[in-house]
Amino acid sequence: MKRVLSGLQPSGRLHLGNYCGAIKQFIRLQDNHEMFVFVASYHALTSSRNAAQLRADTRQVVIDYLAFGLDPAKTNVYLQQDVPQVCELTWLLSCVCPKHMMDKATSFKDKTARGLPASIGLYTYPILQAADILAVDPDLVPVGEDQRQHIEITRDLAQKFNHHFAPGSADDPSKAVFKIPDAMIRADSGATVPGVDGQKMSKSYNNGIDPFMDEKPLRKRVMKIVADSTPIDQPKDAGRDTTFQIFSAIAGSEDERTKDLRDKYANPPSDGFGYGHAKQALFELILDEFGEARKRRVELMNDPGYVEQVLKDGAAAAVARVAEVTARARAAAGL
Ligand code: ADP
Ligand code: TRP
């Protein structure tokens, strides 16, 4: 059975981009893969300066994972902070990471340009991410398009470490310290979901749609999505419209509902089809797709003991796996 690892930062409320780009894939994979899915709380410290907020956001991501449909019977769900060995692995990998590799990483430039403090933690963020990944020997890492570079860095660092400390591993992978994982990125419209302003949906751009919002504010949020000014009786280009792109990311580009909507854009019915109609269709799709999840989320919020137990079991499974990999890496490096 192939092993899968992925995680999300608890840096605010999750949104449809996180669901379509990442969580939806975790749920699909959990039936026939060995799963490790965690909450990247150490990573969130690159931006958080508020302990109570971080604690609350971390807990909320776990609840949202479970509400969306991660099943603890199939997926080990844990907090990064409960597996502190990843910090040791980060150090081992830092020592084989050429500085220019971090200089080239785009996320540091993007995040500092947006005003995040240019800390060393933010600068070396991809090395911590590589440690998260390599720590459990996964085959696959499902993520959104924006994480592609981080997975490439992970592969490079694993190869460098193997090159220095695992002689012969280039010819015989069984001699390697770290397994080289593959990124798994949706090839369709789910890979980068736009936000209400048409830019990439992101927690830090305040352009997200949170499917767990109450109905009224949720509808208001959906109605805020940008649109051009094509009149309602004119054909519209679905591929260029943000509402359509979000709809397609949730329902799937080949889904009947998406095809039906695409058709209405191209051939408006005689009484017209405007962006307001498309937004209403998206609002209804969200309620429909996430109806179960919304109910489950309320139940989970009222059952902290259950959530605690899930995290305890998840951490135990992760620590066992990580201990093996860490021991291998330490020994190979001469510690
Ligand atoms: P954010 O940009 O909102 O802070 P994260 O960086 O925490 O999101 O991303 C968590 C996961 O969700 C990653 O796998 C990322 O690729 C995915 N993701 C984030 N935003 C989007 C988006 N707009 N479209 C598709 N996937 C996304
Ligand atoms: N950097 C990822 C993000 O912003 C979160 C993350 C941290 C992650 N460690 C990971 C994702 C390991 C996949 C695997 O979304």
Side-chain angles (χ1 to χ4, degrees):
M1 194 147 63
K2 288 202 167 171
R3 189 174 302 129
V4 169
L5 172 127
S6 195
L8 258 69
Q9 280 196 78
S11 49
R13 296 281 289 262
L14 298 187
H15 53 67
L16 288 172
N18 298 135
Y19 174 75
C20 297
I23 299 170
K24 195 173 180 180
Q25 305 200 73
F26 309 164
I27 292 163
R28 193 169 51 75
L29 290 165
Q30 70 182 346
D31 287 328
N32 48 4
H33 291 79
E34 184 188 352
M35 302 287 296
F36 290 88
V37 174
F38 72 102
V39 184
S41 45
Y42 288 145
H43 278 105
L45 271 182
T46 55
S47 58
S48 169
R49 297 294 179 262
N50 181 331
Q53 187 70 47
L54 179 60
R55 231 170 254 129
D57 286 345
T58 301
R59 184 52 45 119
Q60 196 59 57
V61 173
V62 178
I63 290 174
D64 290 356
Y65 274 159
L66 301 175
F68 277 127
L70 273 188
D71 176 357
K74 300 173 183 164
T75 296
N76 299 302
V77 179
Y78 60 98
L79 307 182
Q80 191 179 28
Q81 69 209 47
D82 290 338
V83 189
Q85 293 87 342
V86 295
C87 292
E88 182 175 13
L89 277 182
T90 301
W91 181 249
L92 297 185
L93 293 168
S94 298
C95 292
V96 299
C97 180
K99 179 172 169 291
H100 65 78
M101 206 190 259
M102 293 299 103
D103 292 337
K104 278 194 307 203
T106 52
S107 79
F108 178 79
K109 288 177 215 157
D110 294 347
K111 288 177 178 175
T112 50
R114 275 192 267 131
L116 281 191
S119 65
I120 296 296
L122 189 65
Y123 183 66
T124 58
Y125 179 116
I127 311 180
L128 176 59
Q129 180 160 352
D132 296 328
I133 297 171
L134 300 176
V136 310
D137 279 338
D139 301 282
L140 294 172
V141 186
V143 283
E145 178 62 43
D146 61 330
Q147 295 296 312
R148 187 185 291 279
Q149 190 184 43
H150 287 158
I151 313 302
E152 267 155 28
I153 291 174
T154 300
R155 293 166 56 91
D156 281 354
L157 288 178
Q159 266 150 356
K160 283 203 189 304
F161 194 94
N162 287 342
H163 171 75
H164 291 299
F165 293 122
S169 60
D171 300 320
D172 178 359
S174 72
K175 293 194 175 132
V177 173
F178 294 122
K179 182 148 114 192
I180 315 293
D182 287 314
M184 185 180 186
I185 298 174
R186 279 177 68 165
D188 64 0
S189 48
T192 307
V193 183
V196 294
D197 58 357
Q199 305 299 307
K200 183 199 120 139
M201 191 180 287
S202 171
K203 292 184 216 102
S204 37
Y205 298 167
N206 194 23
N207 64 355
I209 299 175
D210 167 5
F212 295 121
M213 255 192 256
D214 286 336
E215 279 192 36
K216 237 178 146 177
L218 177 61
R219 186 164 187 284
K220 230 173 135 183
R221 190 79 178 145
V222 170
M223 292 298 158
K224 274 220 167 81
I225 298 172
V226 287
D228 64 27
S229 53
T230 316
I232 76 168
D233 55 341
Q234 297 293 313
K236 297 168 188 61
D237 187 349
R240 296 170 59 94
D241 179 48
T242 302
T243 302
F244 181 83
Q245 287 164 5
I246 300 175
F247 190 103
S248 166
I250 299 171
S253 51
E254 294 309 311
D255 187 272
E256 283 308 317
R257 296 165 295 182
T258 311
K259 287 185 185 163
D260 188 49
L261 188 65
R262 193 183 288 118
D263 197 46
K264 286 192 175 133
Y265 273 73
N267 309 298
S270 54
D271 52 347
F273 182 82
Y275 291 115
H277 296 109
K279 290 176 189 177
Q280 180 64 28
L282 173 60
F283 170 65
E284 285 166 19
L285 176 76
I286 294 173
L287 290 185
D288 195 38
E289 276 296 293
F290 300 104
E292 276 300 308
R294 290 164 66 95
K295 267 192 246 147
R296 224 174 6 239
R297 186 169 183 263
V298 175
E299 289 162 17
L300 287 160
M301 305 260 266
N302 290 321
D303 197 352
Y306 171 74
V307 175
E308 214 47 59
Q309 190 58 45
V310 166
L311 290 177
K312 215 169 143 203
D313 295 346
V319 164
R321 193 90 268 291
V322 173
E324 252 178 62
V325 178
T326 311
R328 222 160 61 205
R330 285 177 60 113
L335 298 178

